[in-house]
Amino acid sequence: QVQLVESGGGLVQAGGSLRLSCAASGRAFRSYAVGWFRQDPGKEREFVAAISLTGGSTYYADSLKGRFTISRDNSKNTVYLQMNSLKPEDTAVYYCAAAAVFGTAKYDYWGQGTQVTVSS
């Protein structure tokens, strides 16, 4: 069992930056790949980025490459999402999720989300 808690969201002006954190409970966290997703009300959930168990492999939604960076610190049971050059269309609730297999579409555990609002 893995419990995930996101933090770091907030209100930021367009062009600004935020770093989201996904803190996990349990030593088993190191056995899971982690992904970030986002969802705006009325829209479908969108994949943002994912990182492998050791952090050695990452991949991103094509539209976000170059602006967002995912990383993890297994000694702190935490995955980060650094978001730069934010745009109003990045406004959404951001969720992290844990998957037993890197690259899968099946995520087993989800956090409660953190709101990111980008003002123009």
Side-chain angles (χ1 to χ4, degrees), residues 2-6 22 24 29 32-38 45 47 49-51 70 72 79 94-101 104-113:
V2 175
Q3 293 183 326
L4 305 171
V5 178
E6 301 94 336
C22 172
F29 176 69
Y32 287 86
V34 175
W36 282 97
F37 296 80
R38 66 186 185 184
R45 185 172 63 202
F47 169 77
I51 190 165
I70 189 171
R72 71 189 294 165
V79 171
Y94 283 71
Y95 300 90
C96 65
V101 178
T104 185
K106 182 180 182 297
Y107 284 79
D108 301 302
Y109 303 101
W110 291 82
Q112 83 292 345

PDB file of all heavy atoms in Angstrom, residues 2-6 22 24 29 32-38 45 47 49-51 70 72 79 94-101 104-113:
ATOM      1  N   VAL A   2       0.561   2.175  -0.863  1.00  0.00           N
ATOM      2  CA  VAL A   2       1.298   3.438  -0.951  1.00  0.00           C
ATOM      3  C   VAL A   2       0.287   4.574  -0.844  1.00  0.00           C
ATOM      4  O   VAL A   2      -0.735   4.573  -1.536  1.00  0.00           O
ATOM      5  CB  VAL A   2       2.063   3.547  -2.289  1.00  0.00           C
ATOM      6  CG1 VAL A   2       2.728   4.914  -2.405  1.00  0.00           C
ATOM      7  CG2 VAL A   2       3.101   2.445  -2.393  1.00  0.00           C
ATOM      8  N   GLN A   3       0.581   5.514   0.002  1.00  0.00           N
ATOM      9  CA  GLN A   3      -0.255   6.718   0.108  1.00  0.00           C
ATOM     10  C   GLN A   3       0.538   7.904  -0.416  1.00  0.00           C
ATOM     11  O   GLN A   3       1.714   8.073  -0.067  1.00  0.00           O
ATOM     12  CB  GLN A   3      -0.693   6.943   1.556  1.00  0.00           C
ATOM     13  CG  GLN A   3      -1.642   5.869   2.062  1.00  0.00           C
ATOM     14  CD  GLN A   3      -2.133   6.145   3.477  1.00  0.00           C
ATOM     15  OE1 GLN A   3      -1.410   6.684   4.299  1.00  0.00           O
ATOM     16  NE2 GLN A   3      -3.376   5.798   3.737  1.00  0.00           N
ATOM     17  N   LEU A   4      -0.117   8.715  -1.225  1.00  0.00           N
ATOM     18  CA  LEU A   4       0.535   9.828  -1.887  1.00  0.00           C
ATOM     19  C   LEU A   4      -0.128  11.137  -1.484  1.00  0.00           C
ATOM     20  O   LEU A   4      -1.361  11.233  -1.456  1.00  0.00           O
ATOM     21  CB  LEU A   4       0.447   9.661  -3.413  1.00  0.00           C
ATOM     22  CG  LEU A   4       0.979   8.353  -3.975  1.00  0.00           C
ATOM     23  CD1 LEU A   4       0.643   8.230  -5.461  1.00  0.00           C
ATOM     24  CD2 LEU A   4       2.471   8.228  -3.752  1.00  0.00           C
ATOM     25  N   VAL A   5       0.697  12.141  -1.216  1.00  0.00           N
ATOM     26  CA  VAL A   5       0.181  13.463  -0.848  1.00  0.00           C
ATOM     27  C   VAL A   5       0.913  14.515  -1.673  1.00  0.00           C
ATOM     28  O   VAL A   5       2.145  14.646  -1.563  1.00  0.00           O
ATOM     29  CB  VAL A   5       0.367  13.747   0.655  1.00  0.00           C
ATOM     30  CG1 VAL A   5      -0.141  15.148   0.973  1.00  0.00           C
ATOM     31  CG2 VAL A   5      -0.356  12.707   1.499  1.00  0.00           C
ATOM     32  N   GLU A   6       0.142  15.254  -2.474  1.00  0.00           N
ATOM     33  CA  GLU A   6       0.722  16.313  -3.291  1.00  0.00           C
ATOM     34  C   GLU A   6       0.736  17.633  -2.524  1.00  0.00           C
ATOM     35  O   GLU A   6      -0.127  17.873  -1.669  1.00  0.00           O
ATOM     36  CB  GLU A   6      -0.082  16.523  -4.583  1.00  0.00           C
ATOM     37  CG  GLU A   6      -0.182  15.314  -5.474  1.00  0.00           C
ATOM     38  CD  GLU A   6      -1.448  14.507  -5.224  1.00  0.00           C
ATOM     39  OE1 GLU A   6      -2.000  14.609  -4.113  1.00  0.00           O
ATOM     40  OE2 GLU A   6      -1.894  13.789  -6.133  1.00  0.00           O
ATOM     41  N   CYS A  22       5.325  15.307  -4.437  1.00  0.00           N
ATOM     42  CA  CYS A  22       4.464  14.149  -4.200  1.00  0.00           C
ATOM     43  C   CYS A  22       5.174  13.302  -3.156  1.00  0.00           C
ATOM     44  O   CYS A  22       6.168  12.630  -3.467  1.00  0.00           O
ATOM     45  CB  CYS A  22       4.257  13.380  -5.493  1.00  0.00           C
ATOM     46  SG  CYS A  22       3.403  11.802  -5.312  1.00  0.00           S
ATOM     47  N   ALA A  24       5.355  10.258  -0.478  1.00  0.00           N
ATOM     48  CA  ALA A  24       4.763   8.926  -0.361  1.00  0.00           C
ATOM     49  C   ALA A  24       5.095   8.295   0.978  1.00  0.00           C
ATOM     50  O   ALA A  24       6.166   8.520   1.538  1.00  0.00           O
ATOM     51  CB  ALA A  24       5.269   8.041  -1.476  1.00  0.00           C
ATOM     52  N   PHE A  29       7.523   2.528  -1.835  1.00  0.00           N
ATOM     53  CA  PHE A  29       7.505   3.596  -2.830  1.00  0.00           C
ATOM     54  C   PHE A  29       8.618   3.436  -3.845  1.00  0.00           C
ATOM     55  O   PHE A  29       8.456   3.726  -5.022  1.00  0.00           O
ATOM     56  CB  PHE A  29       7.619   4.949  -2.116  1.00  0.00           C
ATOM     57  CG  PHE A  29       7.696   6.122  -3.043  1.00  0.00           C
ATOM     58  CD1 PHE A  29       6.609   6.486  -3.797  1.00  0.00           C
ATOM     59  CD2 PHE A  29       8.859   6.862  -3.151  1.00  0.00           C
ATOM     60  CE1 PHE A  29       6.664   7.572  -4.654  1.00  0.00           C
ATOM     61  CE2 PHE A  29       8.930   7.945  -3.999  1.00  0.00           C
ATOM     62  CZ  PHE A  29       7.838   8.306  -4.752  1.00  0.00           C
ATOM     63  N   TYR A  32       7.962   1.636  -7.159  1.00  0.00           N
ATOM     64  CA  TYR A  32       6.936   2.143  -8.049  1.00  0.00           C
ATOM     65  C   TYR A  32       7.471   3.256  -8.949  1.00  0.00           C
ATOM     66  O   TYR A  32       8.230   4.123  -8.508  1.00  0.00           O
ATOM     67  CB  TYR A  32       5.757   2.704  -7.242  1.00  0.00           C
ATOM     68  CG  TYR A  32       4.911   1.635  -6.603  1.00  0.00           C
ATOM     69  CD1 TYR A  32       5.244   1.116  -5.360  1.00  0.00           C
ATOM     70  CD2 TYR A  32       3.789   1.139  -7.263  1.00  0.00           C
ATOM     71  CE1 TYR A  32       4.466   0.114  -4.785  1.00  0.00           C
ATOM     72  CE2 TYR A  32       3.012   0.151  -6.684  1.00  0.00           C
ATOM     73  CZ  TYR A  32       3.358  -0.352  -5.455  1.00  0.00           C
ATOM     74  OH  TYR A  32       2.592  -1.337  -4.892  1.00  0.00           O
ATOM     75  N   ALA A  33       7.029   3.200 -10.189  1.00  0.00           N
ATOM     76  CA  ALA A  33       7.167   4.362 -11.062  1.00  0.00           C
ATOM     77  C   ALA A  33       6.102   5.376 -10.654  1.00  0.00           C
ATOM     78  O   ALA A  33       5.083   5.015 -10.064  1.00  0.00           O
ATOM     79  CB  ALA A  33       6.978   3.950 -12.513  1.00  0.00           C
ATOM     80  N   VAL A  34       6.338   6.621 -10.954  1.00  0.00           N
ATOM     81  CA  VAL A  34       5.400   7.664 -10.558  1.00  0.00           C
ATOM     82  C   VAL A  34       5.085   8.559 -11.750  1.00  0.00           C
ATOM     83  O   VAL A  34       5.975   8.910 -12.528  1.00  0.00           O
ATOM     84  CB  VAL A  34       5.965   8.507  -9.401  1.00  0.00           C
ATOM     85  CG1 VAL A  34       5.032   9.674  -9.073  1.00  0.00           C
ATOM     86  CG2 VAL A  34       6.160   7.638  -8.166  1.00  0.00           C
ATOM     87  N   GLY A  35       3.836   8.901 -11.855  1.00  0.00           N
ATOM     88  CA  GLY A  35       3.414   9.810 -12.910  1.00  0.00           C
ATOM     89  C   GLY A  35       2.701  11.020 -12.342  1.00  0.00           C
ATOM     90  O   GLY A  35       2.165  10.975 -11.231  1.00  0.00           O
ATOM     91  N   TRP A  36       2.726  12.088 -13.107  1.00  0.00           N
ATOM     92  CA  TRP A  36       1.939  13.281 -12.803  1.00  0.00           C
ATOM     93  C   TRP A  36       0.865  13.425 -13.883  1.00  0.00           C
ATOM     94  O   TRP A  36       1.142  13.219 -15.080  1.00  0.00           O
ATOM     95  CB  TRP A  36       2.803  14.541 -12.782  1.00  0.00           C
ATOM     96  CG  TRP A  36       3.622  14.736 -11.556  1.00  0.00           C
ATOM     97  CD1 TRP A  36       4.936  14.403 -11.381  1.00  0.00           C
ATOM     98  CD2 TRP A  36       3.188  15.301 -10.320  1.00  0.00           C
ATOM     99  NE1 TRP A  36       5.346  14.735 -10.112  1.00  0.00           N
ATOM    100  CE2 TRP A  36       4.292  15.300  -9.429  1.00  0.00           C
ATOM    101  CE3 TRP A  36       1.982  15.835  -9.854  1.00  0.00           C
ATOM    102  CZ2 TRP A  36       4.231  15.796  -8.125  1.00  0.00           C
ATOM    103  CZ3 TRP A  36       1.922  16.340  -8.567  1.00  0.00           C
ATOM    104  CH2 TRP A  36       3.027  16.310  -7.716  1.00  0.00           C
ATOM    105  N   PHE A  37      -0.311  13.786 -13.436  1.00  0.00           N
ATOM    106  CA  PHE A  37      -1.442  14.012 -14.324  1.00  0.00           C
ATOM    107  C   PHE A  37      -2.084  15.337 -13.925  1.00  0.00           C
ATOM    108  O   PHE A  37      -1.838  15.851 -12.837  1.00  0.00           O
ATOM    109  CB  PHE A  37      -2.474  12.884 -14.188  1.00  0.00           C
ATOM    110  CG  PHE A  37      -1.959  11.547 -14.608  1.00  0.00           C
ATOM    111  CD1 PHE A  37      -1.165  10.792 -13.752  1.00  0.00           C
ATOM    112  CD2 PHE A  37      -2.261  11.024 -15.856  1.00  0.00           C
ATOM    113  CE1 PHE A  37      -0.676   9.556 -14.135  1.00  0.00           C
ATOM    114  CE2 PHE A  37      -1.785   9.788 -16.250  1.00  0.00           C
ATOM    115  CZ  PHE A  37      -0.991   9.053 -15.387  1.00  0.00           C
ATOM    116  N   ARG A  38      -2.930  15.862 -14.786  1.00  0.00           N
ATOM    117  CA  ARG A  38      -3.661  17.062 -14.420  1.00  0.00           C
ATOM    118  C   ARG A  38      -5.062  16.999 -15.024  1.00  0.00           C
ATOM    119  O   ARG A  38      -5.299  16.319 -16.027  1.00  0.00           O
ATOM    120  CB  ARG A  38      -2.930  18.318 -14.888  1.00  0.00           C
ATOM    121  CG  ARG A  38      -2.830  18.494 -16.402  1.00  0.00           C
ATOM    122  CD  ARG A  38      -1.965  19.699 -16.724  1.00  0.00           C
ATOM    123  NE  ARG A  38      -1.940  19.988 -18.144  1.00  0.00           N
ATOM    124  CZ  ARG A  38      -1.207  20.944 -18.709  1.00  0.00           C
ATOM    125  NH1 ARG A  38      -0.435  21.720 -17.950  1.00  0.00           N
ATOM    126  NH2 ARG A  38      -1.253  21.143 -20.015  1.00  0.00           N
ATOM    127  N   ARG A  45      -8.812  13.946 -17.885  1.00  0.00           N
ATOM    128  CA  ARG A  45      -7.510  13.917 -17.221  1.00  0.00           C
ATOM    129  C   ARG A  45      -6.422  13.780 -18.275  1.00  0.00           C
ATOM    130  O   ARG A  45      -6.549  13.010 -19.223  1.00  0.00           O
ATOM    131  CB  ARG A  45      -7.459  12.753 -16.240  1.00  0.00           C
ATOM    132  CG  ARG A  45      -6.198  12.702 -15.402  1.00  0.00           C
ATOM    133  CD  ARG A  45      -6.322  11.648 -14.334  1.00  0.00           C
ATOM    134  NE  ARG A  45      -6.464  10.329 -14.911  1.00  0.00           N
ATOM    135  CZ  ARG A  45      -7.001   9.304 -14.263  1.00  0.00           C
ATOM    136  NH1 ARG A  45      -7.455   9.468 -13.039  1.00  0.00           N
ATOM    137  NH2 ARG A  45      -7.093   8.143 -14.859  1.00  0.00           N
ATOM    138  N   PHE A  47      -2.218  13.260 -19.105  1.00  0.00           N
ATOM    139  CA  PHE A  47      -0.900  12.825 -18.657  1.00  0.00           C
ATOM    140  C   PHE A  47       0.083  13.984 -18.774  1.00  0.00           C
ATOM    141  O   PHE A  47       0.089  14.710 -19.760  1.00  0.00           O
ATOM    142  CB  PHE A  47      -0.424  11.646 -19.496  1.00  0.00           C
ATOM    143  CG  PHE A  47       1.015  11.296 -19.288  1.00  0.00           C
ATOM    144  CD1 PHE A  47       1.408  10.593 -18.160  1.00  0.00           C
ATOM    145  CD2 PHE A  47       1.981  11.680 -20.199  1.00  0.00           C
ATOM    146  CE1 PHE A  47       2.739  10.275 -17.950  1.00  0.00           C
ATOM    147  CE2 PHE A  47       3.307  11.369 -20.018  1.00  0.00           C
ATOM    148  CZ  PHE A  47       3.699  10.667 -18.882  1.00  0.00           C
ATOM    149  N   ALA A  49       3.743  13.719 -17.011  1.00  0.00           N
ATOM    150  CA  ALA A  49       5.107  13.189 -17.021  1.00  0.00           C
ATOM    151  C   ALA A  49       5.162  11.945 -16.158  1.00  0.00           C
ATOM    152  O   ALA A  49       4.307  11.731 -15.307  1.00  0.00           O
ATOM    153  CB  ALA A  49       6.105  14.222 -16.497  1.00  0.00           C
ATOM    154  N   ALA A  50       6.197  11.128 -16.372  1.00  0.00           N
ATOM    155  CA  ALA A  50       6.397   9.934 -15.557  1.00  0.00           C
ATOM    156  C   ALA A  50       7.885   9.696 -15.357  1.00  0.00           C
ATOM    157  O   ALA A  50       8.714  10.124 -16.177  1.00  0.00           O
ATOM    158  CB  ALA A  50       5.744   8.716 -16.202  1.00  0.00           C
ATOM    159  N   ILE A  51       8.192   8.994 -14.270  1.00  0.00           N
ATOM    160  CA  ILE A  51       9.588   8.715 -13.937  1.00  0.00           C
ATOM    161  C   ILE A  51       9.695   7.282 -13.442  1.00  0.00           C
ATOM    162  O   ILE A  51       8.803   6.771 -12.766  1.00  0.00           O
ATOM    163  CB  ILE A  51      10.098   9.730 -12.887  1.00  0.00           C
ATOM    164  CG1 ILE A  51      11.605   9.627 -12.697  1.00  0.00           C
ATOM    165  CG2 ILE A  51       9.356   9.577 -11.551  1.00  0.00           C
ATOM    166  CD1 ILE A  51      12.200  10.812 -11.959  1.00  0.00           C
ATOM    167  N   ILE A  70      10.387  16.321 -14.331  1.00  0.00           N
ATOM    168  CA  ILE A  70      10.044  15.404 -13.238  1.00  0.00           C
ATOM    169  C   ILE A  70      11.330  14.836 -12.668  1.00  0.00           C
ATOM    170  O   ILE A  70      12.291  14.557 -13.400  1.00  0.00           O
ATOM    171  CB  ILE A  70       9.099  14.286 -13.725  1.00  0.00           C
ATOM    172  CG1 ILE A  70       8.564  13.469 -12.551  1.00  0.00           C
ATOM    173  CG2 ILE A  70       9.769  13.402 -14.773  1.00  0.00           C
ATOM    174  CD1 ILE A  70       7.450  12.489 -12.951  1.00  0.00           C
ATOM    175  N   ARG A  72      12.939  12.585  -8.837  1.00  0.00           N
ATOM    176  CA  ARG A  72      12.565  11.910  -7.597  1.00  0.00           C
ATOM    177  C   ARG A  72      13.780  11.797  -6.684  1.00  0.00           C
ATOM    178  O   ARG A  72      14.918  11.717  -7.147  1.00  0.00           O
ATOM    179  CB  ARG A  72      11.934  10.549  -7.863  1.00  0.00           C
ATOM    180  CG  ARG A  72      12.849   9.468  -8.361  1.00  0.00           C
ATOM    181  CD  ARG A  72      12.055   8.230  -8.784  1.00  0.00           C
ATOM    182  NE  ARG A  72      11.392   7.577  -7.673  1.00  0.00           N
ATOM    183  CZ  ARG A  72      10.424   6.658  -7.813  1.00  0.00           C
ATOM    184  NH1 ARG A  72      10.014   6.315  -9.022  1.00  0.00           N
ATOM    185  NH2 ARG A  72       9.877   6.086  -6.753  1.00  0.00           N
ATOM    186  N   VAL A  79       8.616  12.635  -5.118  1.00  0.00           N
ATOM    187  CA  VAL A  79       8.764  12.945  -6.535  1.00  0.00           C
ATOM    188  C   VAL A  79       8.371  14.401  -6.737  1.00  0.00           C
ATOM    189  O   VAL A  79       7.430  14.879  -6.111  1.00  0.00           O
ATOM    190  CB  VAL A  79       7.884  12.019  -7.392  1.00  0.00           C
ATOM    191  CG1 VAL A  79       7.867  12.468  -8.840  1.00  0.00           C
ATOM    192  CG2 VAL A  79       8.380  10.583  -7.289  1.00  0.00           C
ATOM    193  N   TYR A  94      -3.477  19.043 -10.145  1.00  0.00           N
ATOM    194  CA  TYR A  94      -2.382  18.144 -10.503  1.00  0.00           C
ATOM    195  C   TYR A  94      -2.351  16.976  -9.521  1.00  0.00           C
ATOM    196  O   TYR A  94      -2.378  17.180  -8.304  1.00  0.00           O
ATOM    197  CB  TYR A  94      -1.058  18.890 -10.487  1.00  0.00           C
ATOM    198  CG  TYR A  94      -0.864  19.754 -11.698  1.00  0.00           C
ATOM    199  CD1 TYR A  94      -1.618  20.918 -11.874  1.00  0.00           C
ATOM    200  CD2 TYR A  94       0.036  19.419 -12.705  1.00  0.00           C
ATOM    201  CE1 TYR A  94      -1.468  21.718 -12.997  1.00  0.00           C
ATOM    202  CE2 TYR A  94       0.200  20.214 -13.833  1.00  0.00           C
ATOM    203  CZ  TYR A  94      -0.562  21.353 -13.967  1.00  0.00           C
ATOM    204  OH  TYR A  94      -0.409  22.142 -15.095  1.00  0.00           O
ATOM    205  N   TYR A  95      -2.279  15.780 -10.072  1.00  0.00           N
ATOM    206  CA  TYR A  95      -2.274  14.556  -9.283  1.00  0.00           C
ATOM    207  C   TYR A  95      -0.992  13.771  -9.544  1.00  0.00           C
ATOM    208  O   TYR A  95      -0.511  13.721 -10.681  1.00  0.00           O
ATOM    209  CB  TYR A  95      -3.441  13.657  -9.674  1.00  0.00           C
ATOM    210  CG  TYR A  95      -4.806  14.266  -9.491  1.00  0.00           C
ATOM    211  CD1 TYR A  95      -5.416  14.993 -10.511  1.00  0.00           C
ATOM    212  CD2 TYR A  95      -5.516  14.091  -8.301  1.00  0.00           C
ATOM    213  CE1 TYR A  95      -6.676  15.556 -10.357  1.00  0.00           C
ATOM    214  CE2 TYR A  95      -6.781  14.635  -8.133  1.00  0.00           C
ATOM    215  CZ  TYR A  95      -7.341  15.361  -9.162  1.00  0.00           C
ATOM    216  OH  TYR A  95      -8.602  15.914  -8.992  1.00  0.00           O
ATOM    217  N   CYS A  96      -0.480  13.123  -8.504  1.00  0.00           N
ATOM    218  CA  CYS A  96       0.558  12.134  -8.732  1.00  0.00           C
ATOM    219  C   CYS A  96      -0.034  10.748  -8.507  1.00  0.00           C
ATOM    220  O   CYS A  96      -1.030  10.588  -7.781  1.00  0.00           O
ATOM    221  CB  CYS A  96       1.778  12.371  -7.851  1.00  0.00           C
ATOM    222  SG  CYS A  96       1.517  12.190  -6.078  1.00  0.00           S
ATOM    223  N   ALA A  97       0.581   9.778  -9.143  1.00  0.00           N
ATOM    224  CA  ALA A  97       0.092   8.414  -9.073  1.00  0.00           C
ATOM    225  C   ALA A  97       1.264   7.455  -9.163  1.00  0.00           C
ATOM    226  O   ALA A  97       2.286   7.772  -9.784  1.00  0.00           O
ATOM    227  CB  ALA A  97      -0.902   8.153 -10.207  1.00  0.00           C
ATOM    228  N   ALA A  98       1.100   6.284  -8.566  1.00  0.00           N
ATOM    229  CA  ALA A  98       2.160   5.276  -8.539  1.00  0.00           C
ATOM    230  C   ALA A  98       1.742   4.062  -9.342  1.00  0.00           C
ATOM    231  O   ALA A  98       0.600   3.610  -9.253  1.00  0.00           O
ATOM    232  CB  ALA A  98       2.469   4.880  -7.105  1.00  0.00           C
ATOM    233  N   ALA A  99       2.704   3.551 -10.117  1.00  0.00           N
ATOM    234  CA  ALA A  99       2.457   2.390 -10.969  1.00  0.00           C
ATOM    235  C   ALA A  99       3.534   1.344 -10.733  1.00  0.00           C
ATOM    236  O   ALA A  99       4.700   1.673 -10.571  1.00  0.00           O
ATOM    237  CB  ALA A  99       2.457   2.806 -12.438  1.00  0.00           C
ATOM    238  N   ALA A 100       3.128   0.080 -10.779  1.00  0.00           N
ATOM    239  CA  ALA A 100       4.082  -0.999 -10.553  1.00  0.00           C
ATOM    240  C   ALA A 100       5.040  -1.161 -11.738  1.00  0.00           C
ATOM    241  O   ALA A 100       6.141  -1.683 -11.571  1.00  0.00           O
ATOM    242  CB  ALA A 100       3.339  -2.299 -10.290  1.00  0.00           C
ATOM    243  N   VAL A 101       4.604  -0.709 -12.899  1.00  0.00           N
ATOM    244  CA  VAL A 101       5.413  -0.865 -14.109  1.00  0.00           C
ATOM    245  C   VAL A 101       5.592   0.489 -14.772  1.00  0.00           C
ATOM    246  O   VAL A 101       4.613   1.187 -15.051  1.00  0.00           O
ATOM    247  CB  VAL A 101       4.745  -1.848 -15.096  1.00  0.00           C
ATOM    248  CG1 VAL A 101       5.569  -1.960 -16.371  1.00  0.00           C
ATOM    249  CG2 VAL A 101       4.562  -3.218 -14.441  1.00  0.00           C
ATOM    250  N   THR A 104       3.475   2.018 -18.034  1.00  0.00           N
ATOM    251  CA  THR A 104       2.135   1.477 -18.108  1.00  0.00           C
ATOM    252  C   THR A 104       1.082   2.574 -18.057  1.00  0.00           C
ATOM    253  O   THR A 104       1.364   3.693 -17.613  1.00  0.00           O
ATOM    254  CB  THR A 104       1.883   0.511 -16.943  1.00  0.00           C
ATOM    255  OG1 THR A 104       0.608  -0.090 -17.086  1.00  0.00           O
ATOM    256  CG2 THR A 104       1.910   1.259 -15.621  1.00  0.00           C
ATOM    257  N   ALA A 105      -0.111   2.242 -18.487  1.00  0.00           N
ATOM    258  CA  ALA A 105      -1.226   3.165 -18.334  1.00  0.00           C
ATOM    259  C   ALA A 105      -2.013   2.869 -17.063  1.00  0.00           C
ATOM    260  O   ALA A 105      -2.963   3.578 -16.738  1.00  0.00           O
ATOM    261  CB  ALA A 105      -2.157   3.064 -19.535  1.00  0.00           C
ATOM    262  N   LYS A 106      -1.604   1.840 -16.344  1.00  0.00           N
ATOM    263  CA  LYS A 106      -2.315   1.421 -15.139  1.00  0.00           C
ATOM    264  C   LYS A 106      -1.584   1.937 -13.906  1.00  0.00           C
ATOM    265  O   LYS A 106      -0.502   1.460 -13.570  1.00  0.00           O
ATOM    266  CB  LYS A 106      -2.432  -0.111 -15.084  1.00  0.00           C
ATOM    267  CG  LYS A 106      -3.208  -0.621 -13.877  1.00  0.00           C
ATOM    268  CD  LYS A 106      -3.281  -2.135 -13.889  1.00  0.00           C
ATOM    269  CE  LYS A 106      -4.090  -2.654 -12.712  1.00  0.00           C
ATOM    270  NZ  LYS A 106      -3.466  -2.326 -11.433  1.00  0.00           N
ATOM    271  N   TYR A 107      -2.222   2.867 -13.244  1.00  0.00           N
ATOM    272  CA  TYR A 107      -1.678   3.412 -12.006  1.00  0.00           C
ATOM    273  C   TYR A 107      -2.508   2.897 -10.843  1.00  0.00           C
ATOM    274  O   TYR A 107      -3.737   2.958 -10.879  1.00  0.00           O
ATOM    275  CB  TYR A 107      -1.652   4.941 -12.064  1.00  0.00           C
ATOM    276  CG  TYR A 107      -0.530   5.459 -12.926  1.00  0.00           C
ATOM    277  CD1 TYR A 107      -0.630   5.474 -14.311  1.00  0.00           C
ATOM    278  CD2 TYR A 107       0.648   5.907 -12.352  1.00  0.00           C
ATOM    279  CE1 TYR A 107       0.422   5.925 -15.101  1.00  0.00           C
ATOM    280  CE2 TYR A 107       1.705   6.364 -13.124  1.00  0.00           C
ATOM    281  CZ  TYR A 107       1.586   6.368 -14.493  1.00  0.00           C
ATOM    282  OH  TYR A 107       2.628   6.819 -15.266  1.00  0.00           O
ATOM    283  N   ASP A 108      -1.838   2.431  -9.812  1.00  0.00           N
ATOM    284  CA  ASP A 108      -2.519   1.737  -8.731  1.00  0.00           C
ATOM    285  C   ASP A 108      -2.918   2.659  -7.582  1.00  0.00           C
ATOM    286  O   ASP A 108      -3.885   2.382  -6.872  1.00  0.00           O
ATOM    287  CB  ASP A 108      -1.616   0.626  -8.180  1.00  0.00           C
ATOM    288  CG  ASP A 108      -1.238  -0.371  -9.250  1.00  0.00           C
ATOM    289  OD1 ASP A 108      -2.159  -0.966  -9.850  1.00  0.00           O
ATOM    290  OD2 ASP A 108      -0.039  -0.552  -9.503  1.00  0.00           O
ATOM    291  N   TYR A 109      -2.159   3.702  -7.363  1.00  0.00           N
ATOM    292  CA  TYR A 109      -2.408   4.591  -6.223  1.00  0.00           C
ATOM    293  C   TYR A 109      -2.386   6.035  -6.704  1.00  0.00           C
ATOM    294  O   TYR A 109      -1.553   6.403  -7.539  1.00  0.00           O
ATOM    295  CB  TYR A 109      -1.347   4.384  -5.134  1.00  0.00           C
ATOM    296  CG  TYR A 109      -1.259   2.974  -4.639  1.00  0.00           C
ATOM    297  CD1 TYR A 109      -0.250   2.123  -5.072  1.00  0.00           C
ATOM    298  CD2 TYR A 109      -2.212   2.470  -3.756  1.00  0.00           C
ATOM    299  CE1 TYR A 109      -0.177   0.819  -4.630  1.00  0.00           C
ATOM    300  CE2 TYR A 109      -2.146   1.167  -3.309  1.00  0.00           C
ATOM    301  CZ  TYR A 109      -1.134   0.342  -3.760  1.00  0.00           C
ATOM    302  OH  TYR A 109      -1.074  -0.950  -3.322  1.00  0.00           O
ATOM    303  N   TRP A 110      -3.277   6.823  -6.120  1.00  0.00           N
ATOM    304  CA  TRP A 110      -3.423   8.221  -6.517  1.00  0.00           C
ATOM    305  C   TRP A 110      -3.449   9.122  -5.281  1.00  0.00           C
ATOM    306  O   TRP A 110      -3.965   8.739  -4.219  1.00  0.00           O
ATOM    307  CB  TRP A 110      -4.731   8.419  -7.283  1.00  0.00           C
ATOM    308  CG  TRP A 110      -4.730   7.770  -8.626  1.00  0.00           C
ATOM    309  CD1 TRP A 110      -4.974   6.462  -8.902  1.00  0.00           C
ATOM    310  CD2 TRP A 110      -4.452   8.399  -9.877  1.00  0.00           C
ATOM    311  NE1 TRP A 110      -4.855   6.241 -10.249  1.00  0.00           N
ATOM    312  CE2 TRP A 110      -4.539   7.413 -10.876  1.00  0.00           C
ATOM    313  CE3 TRP A 110      -4.136   9.706 -10.253  1.00  0.00           C
ATOM    314  CZ2 TRP A 110      -4.328   7.684 -12.234  1.00  0.00           C
ATOM    315  CZ3 TRP A 110      -3.924   9.995 -11.599  1.00  0.00           C
ATOM    316  CH2 TRP A 110      -4.026   8.991 -12.566  1.00  0.00           C
ATOM    317  N   GLY A 111      -2.902  10.323  -5.455  1.00  0.00           N
ATOM    318  CA  GLY A 111      -3.028  11.332  -4.416  1.00  0.00           C
ATOM    319  C   GLY A 111      -4.336  12.095  -4.567  1.00  0.00           C
ATOM    320  O   GLY A 111      -5.118  11.837  -5.482  1.00  0.00           O
ATOM    321  N   GLN A 112      -4.528  13.064  -3.678  1.00  0.00           N
ATOM    322  CA  GLN A 112      -5.780  13.811  -3.673  1.00  0.00           C
ATOM    323  C   GLN A 112      -5.735  15.033  -4.575  1.00  0.00           C
ATOM    324  O   GLN A 112      -6.765  15.647  -4.846  1.00  0.00           O
ATOM    325  CB  GLN A 112      -6.125  14.254  -2.239  1.00  0.00           C
ATOM    326  CG  GLN A 112      -5.433  15.532  -1.762  1.00  0.00           C
ATOM    327  CD  GLN A 112      -3.936  15.400  -1.569  1.00  0.00           C
ATOM    328  OE1 GLN A 112      -3.400  14.293  -1.519  1.00  0.00           O
ATOM    329  NE2 GLN A 112      -3.241  16.519  -1.446  1.00  0.00           N
ATOM    330  N   GLY A 113      -4.559  15.401  -5.032  1.00  0.00           N
ATOM    331  CA  GLY A 113      -4.408  16.506  -5.963  1.00  0.00           C
ATOM    332  C   GLY A 113      -4.053  17.816  -5.298  1.00  0.00           C
ATOM    333  O   GLY A 113      -4.318  18.035  -4.111  1.00  0.00           O
TER     334      GLY A 113
END
